[in-house]
Structures are given as C-alpha cells and as structure tokens.
Amino acid sequence: MANKSGMAPSQLDFLSPLSGIPKLGPKRVAALGEAGIKTVGDLLRYYPNKYIDRSNVVNIRDIGNGIDNITGLLRFARNLFISAKANDRNYEERGDEATCLSRRKAIQTVNCNTNSINSNNKRDIIHKDINTDKNRIITVIGTVNSARQSFYGRPNFRVTLRDDGGDTLDALWYIRGMKIAVGERLMLTGGVTVNKGGRAVMIHPVLEKLVDGVTVRPILAVYAIREPMREAGVNQKLLRYAIEWVIGKINVDAYPRVLPDVIEKDKKFPPLRDCLRQVHLPDDLAGIDAYKARLKYEELYRVALDLRWSRRKFALPGYSMSPGDLADKLRAALPFTLTESQEAAVRVLHGDAARSTRMHRLLQGDVGSGKTITALFAALPALNAGRQVAWMAPTEILARQTKYAAEKYLGALGIRVEYVGAGDGAEKRRALCDLASGALRFAVGTHALFMPSVKFRNLGIIIIDEQHKFGAAQR
C-alpha cells in the first residue's frame, strides 16, 4: 500500500525524500532540510546525543531512599536552631557562657546524626539533598489523581500521580496547556526532589501516556532539536516516530554498502541495518557501543574517501596568477614590517599561486603571529588577476573583525571588502548582486558564503579561517 506521497514502503531507500513519511508536511520537511536532514538517509544518520533509560521502574514509596527521615531531621534541626538563637539573645545580655556552650554541643550532635547538616546555613542542607536525589533518574507508573494548571507566579502544570500501592507523587512542568486528564495512566521518568512540605516531586519529567496493547520502549533516544525544527513543531516524539517508521518500512536491500566485505569481516561489524536500529531504538544500553563503533568507522571511512577524492581534484588544472605590484603596495601601506617567517610564508603562497595546478595549503601559526595579514597577501594574486576572494570564518564576530581588518589594509589599494552573513537585508542583497556581477571582489562571511543563493562571477581563491572549527563536509 502506498503512503500519502504515492511511494510504497518497499520503494524507500536512503535517497528518498522526507515527504513520504507520515506527519511530515511541507513546513516540517523544510525545517528538517534547514537542519541538514533532506533525505531518509540523512534522517537515519541523525544520531541521538543521549538516552533516557526507563527500565528502572520503582514504587513511589521506594523512591525516597530515606527522604522522609531526612525531612523530619531537617525540621528538628530548624526548630533547634530557632530555639538556640532565642537562647543566644537571652543569654548574651547575661553573659552566660555555659548556655552558649550547650548550644554548640547540641549542634554538633545534629551534625553527627546526619553527616550532612551544616549549622551555618540551613538552606545549603536542603539544596544538597535535593541535588543528590535529582541525579538519580527513576521511572514511576501510576494513575493521574489530580491535574491542575496554575498561573500564580510562574505558570505551571502540576499532576499528582497515584501508583497501584496507593502512594502519591507530584510532577511539575513550567509550561501551559498540557493535555493530561484525571484517570489517565502515565509513565514518568526523571530526577526526584523534595519540596518544602517534604513531598517527593519530579520537575519536568519525561512523560508517556500508557495505552492498553501498546508496548512502551524501555529506552528513549534524545535528539538535538534545532530552532527551525522547534518552530515547525518537530519535537522529540515526532522525530522518534519518523525514524521508527522509516526503520520499520525500509527494505533490507536499500541499505547502502559503504564498507567493503573484507573490512566488515575483519572488524566483525554488525550489519548496518542492525546498527541503525539499535542506535535509534535500543533494546538495552549494555551492547550499544558495538553498534556505534561500526557507524563511527563507516563515517571516518567516508571522510577518508572524500579526502582522497579531494586530493585528486586539487591535482586538476587551476589558474596561474601573480600578485604584480599589489604586494609592494600593501607592504608600503602597512604600519609595520612583516617578519622573516611571514615573508617566507608569503613567498611559498605566491609560488603556489603561480603554478598551473590548484593550491591547497594550511597556514599555521601561534595566536598573534600574523596569520591574517599573511593570508591577505595570499589573496593578492587572485585580486591582481581580476578574480574574486572568499574568506570564510566560523563565527559572525570573527568574520566581521576580519572584514574590518581587510578593509583597513586593502582599502588603501582601492579594493572593496563586504561582509556576507545570514539574513536578507538590503545590504546583503546588494552584496550578492555585486558578487554575481563581479563588481565585488572580496567577500568575508560565515558558512553563509556557500549557500545556494551566493553566486560568484569568477572565484579565484578561498581562505578558510580557523578551518578546524568547520565540519568535514563544509570544508
């Protein structure tokens, strides 16, 4: 049976568009595309960044692990401090040292009994116990006893859950409009804390409504949700649904064979389909590293192939360019003199530019050693030949700083420098038009420089600043 896109499940492969997946309309498909998820293969390679283990299901009465005793002891200590403080005020006027000494002994007794109570700050004691409990992730199952929305102070939604043993637990979310009704069966997973009244509370637990006949997975994958995805309504639940749907429908023969058989046998890797299933829908976390190992190796293998192909591309013919008199003019415009190391690097770069093959160089140096001005000299052969320069920086701040530095030095040579970043303002539209026509010959920007909307008339050199901060595919 075909789905809404007319594509039968057996026709799904790694190149299939996301539009064939139920619940993914045009807006959500576009949002996923902005996050780099454009095909079914991209979706399956969008790996979780962590997991929520819901296999540790406990009774509500067992989650405290001594919380009730601690709470009672805290109340006792609070009353003791209040009483001792009153005694201090009474006996300070009379100078009774014996009573003050008695108070100190009482406080020491409390410290010995709790091993955690600090007589100087009672609030620190409570926070310490709360933080310890929140680090322990547990799962409880029960029926909603009450559900209410509160708009007092910070809006929140509170649920009281009662398990089969009759014990109750509060759950709190600081959001509005949650759809939870009394009588529903819920599974809650999260850390447990204690409120001022001594009740156990879960703050923002992971929630799943239990339905008869529907199996609940003990382990949930958690994915990074980018801003465009969040705005389009792509949340954790929808992403899990889409991935599980694809894994259940895609044909076994549709999985690509990236690794040669000899490597798979030598490394004893599980099949790719098993690795993807266990990473996204794990049965348990004990053996998940073996599946991750194959995916990591395969990713590195793909990068190695790309690098090998890139080296072959750099052996293809390129432009033979010379800086002409621009190098001398730039030296004259500088308020300082280049070091011997900078001059040596410039000679190597200009020698590469003069060859008929493509240049592929890594300019390396300490912080403050003058790499930026050296790279500007590397751009002079392309500028002298009438070609364009693209300078890419990892952040907008660094890109703008580079733009101002390049403008300061190259402006004296009559070379215009513009910043090309995200957005769609009038300044960017004008820069894009000038790049396409060739009127703008030096563009500085972030990864926005290689977006489809950016067209160069005659690109001569690309300079990637702090290239290690870009992904392999971007480089």
Side-chain angles (χ1 to χ4, degrees), residues 283-473:
D283 297 323
D284 60 70
L285 297 178
I288 198 169
D289 289 341
Y291 301 104
K292 286 183 176 180
R294 187 248 165 79
L295 297 177
K296 291 176 181 178
Y297 190 95
E298 183 170 311
E299 186 173 350
L300 290 174
Y301 188 82
R302 292 164 62 93
V303 171
L305 290 179
D306 290 340
L307 290 176
R308 185 177 181 85
W309 176 243
S310 296
R311 292 192 187 99
R312 294 181 62 183
K313 289 193 294 183
F314 281 109
L316 297 174
Y319 299 128
S320 178
M321 301 176 291
S322 167
D325 60 351
L326 289 182
D328 293 334
K329 289 181 179 180
L330 181 55
R331 287 188 180 91
L334 294 177
F336 53 85
T337 303
L338 296 181
T339 65
E340 292 183 4
S341 298
Q342 287 175 313
E343 289 286 7
V346 169
R347 287 193 295 271
V348 172
L349 293 169
H350 287 176
D352 287 345
R355 295 189 180 93
S356 58
T357 55
R358 300 184 183 186
M359 177 171 63
H360 189 202
R361 282 282 180 182
L362 175 65
L363 180 61
Q364 186 174 354
D366 296 333
V367 176
S369 60
K371 296 187 294 295
T372 299
I373 190 64
T374 306
L376 286 177
F377 272 90
L380 296 181
L383 295 172
N384 185 58
R387 295 185 170 88
Q388 294 169 301
V389 177
W391 186 305
M392 190 168 66
T395 65
E396 181 180 350
I397 294 176
L398 183 58
R400 290 190 180 276
Q401 289 175 346
T402 304
K403 185 256 184 184
Y404 295 140
E407 200 171 38
K408 175 182 177 182
Y409 298 127
L410 298 181
L413 308 183
I415 298 172
R416 173 185 160 207
V417 180
E418 292 290 348
Y419 168 76
V420 178
D424 191 29
E427 184 178 350
K428 180 181 178 180
R429 290 196 295 270
R430 183 170 60 253
L432 293 180
C433 289
D434 291 345
L435 279 176
S437 65
L440 176 60
R441 295 167 53 206
F442 200 112
V444 181
T446 59
H447 60 280
L449 278 177
F450 55 79
M451 292 294 105
S453 59
V454 181
K455 306 292 184 183
F456 289 90
R457 175 67 181 272
N458 192 3
L459 185 59
I461 187 171
I462 301 172
I463 300 173
I464 306 176
D465 198 357
E466 297 194 24
Q467 56 86 31
H468 60 283
K469 293 186 178 180
F470 290 91

Side-chain angles (χ1 to χ4, degrees), residues 176-189:
R176 305 185 185 193
M178 294 192 67
K179 297 180 180 179
I180 300 176
V182 174
E184 288 185 312
R185 293 279 292 175
L186 301 182
M187 172 185 281
L188 302 181
T189 304

